[in-house]
Amino acid sequence: LSKKKERQNISEGKALSIEFNAEIVKDIISNLPFELTGHQKISLFQILKDMEKTHSMQRLLQWDVGTGKTVIAAIAIIHSVLQSEKAGQKIQAAILAPTEILARQHFEGLEKLFTQYWLSPALLVGSTPKKQKDILKEQLKSWNIDVIIGTHALLEDDVRFAKLGLVIIDEQHRFWVRQREALEKYSTGWIIPHSLNMTATPIPRTLA
């Protein structure tokens, strides 16, 4: 609890408060090809209410494999980007995955949903050709990418965001603590991003 409070104090006033917009959430949910469960709705509500605060959200979303963590993260991303843009402080979001296979699965599974709401998604992984990497990195700095999905390639020193406001870390137990924190310093804006860690197998250090 002491560490949690310390974390909140460090980020107080440096995270962007994103007001919960029920209409945006209802619209996204209505366009999904399936119904959300009660637990999914509760978790989503808690995440979005957390992001209303002026300190950085540090939340762990733990569910078994295949129970729908990713769709909750996707809704949180769409809501955050749209609502922050509405308030005149548009943010970007990043999804960090431990393997290229998982990163590509996320990109292929979410690209249509993101573009449906006029968000510009992109994929950045280790095997991305250097020329394309350079283009993507420039687009990140110039607001031409709203959501970047990638692997450790996102943690390279020359990756910079225009305004990174939300970080999703999937399979978080497969990253070192410093790696999970690294994205915070990659925004050229003044904000500390909200952070959502996802896993089916939380480790004691993560729970702490």
Side-chain angles (χ1 to χ4, degrees), residues 73 77 81 91-97 106 110 114 122 140 145-151 154-155 159 161 163-170 183-184 186 193-196 198:
I77 287 173
V81 174
I91 65 167
Q92 296 163 296
I95 299 178
L96 181 62
H106 284 329
L110 298 175
F114 287 147
L140 275 175
I145 293 176
D146 295 314
V147 187
I148 186 80
I149 300 173
T151 56
L154 288 179
L155 305 179
V159 173
F161 294 78
K163 197 170 188 179
L164 180 62
L166 175 60
V167 175
I168 310 293
I169 302 175
D170 196 16
L183 281 173
E184 290 184 1
Y186 289 167
H194 295 286
S195 179
L196 176 65
M198 304 194 301

Side-chain angles (χ1 to χ4, degrees), residues 54-152:
T54 53
H55 58 74
S56 173
M57 171 182 69
Q58 295 292 318
R59 185 169 281 273
L60 172 68
L61 181 61
Q62 187 243 320
W63 255 330
D64 290 337
V65 174
T67 48
K69 296 184 293 292
T70 303
V71 71
I72 297 304
I75 296 172
I77 287 173
I78 296 170
H79 171 274
S80 301
V81 174
L82 294 183
Q83 183 62 14
S84 62
E85 182 177 25
K86 188 176 179 182
Q89 300 190 72
K90 186 179 179 181
I91 65 167
Q92 296 163 296
I95 299 178
L96 181 62
T99 66
E100 285 197 21
I101 292 176
L102 187 55
R104 291 183 185 281
Q105 284 179 347
H106 284 329
F107 182 76
E108 292 168 4
L110 298 175
E111 183 182 18
K112 183 177 179 181
L113 182 60
F114 287 147
T115 55
Q116 186 176 346
Y117 287 91
W118 303 99
L119 270 61
S120 301
L123 177 69
L124 179 60
V125 294
S127 64
T128 302
K130 185 181 184 306
K131 185 175 181 180
Q132 188 179 346
K133 275 186 180 179
D134 292 340
I135 292 173
L136 289 174
K137 289 171 183 177
E138 284 302 314
Q139 290 178 330
L140 275 175
K141 290 189 289 187
S142 59
W143 292 102
N144 291 318
I145 293 176
D146 295 314
V147 187
I148 186 80
I149 300 173
T151 56
H152 294 77

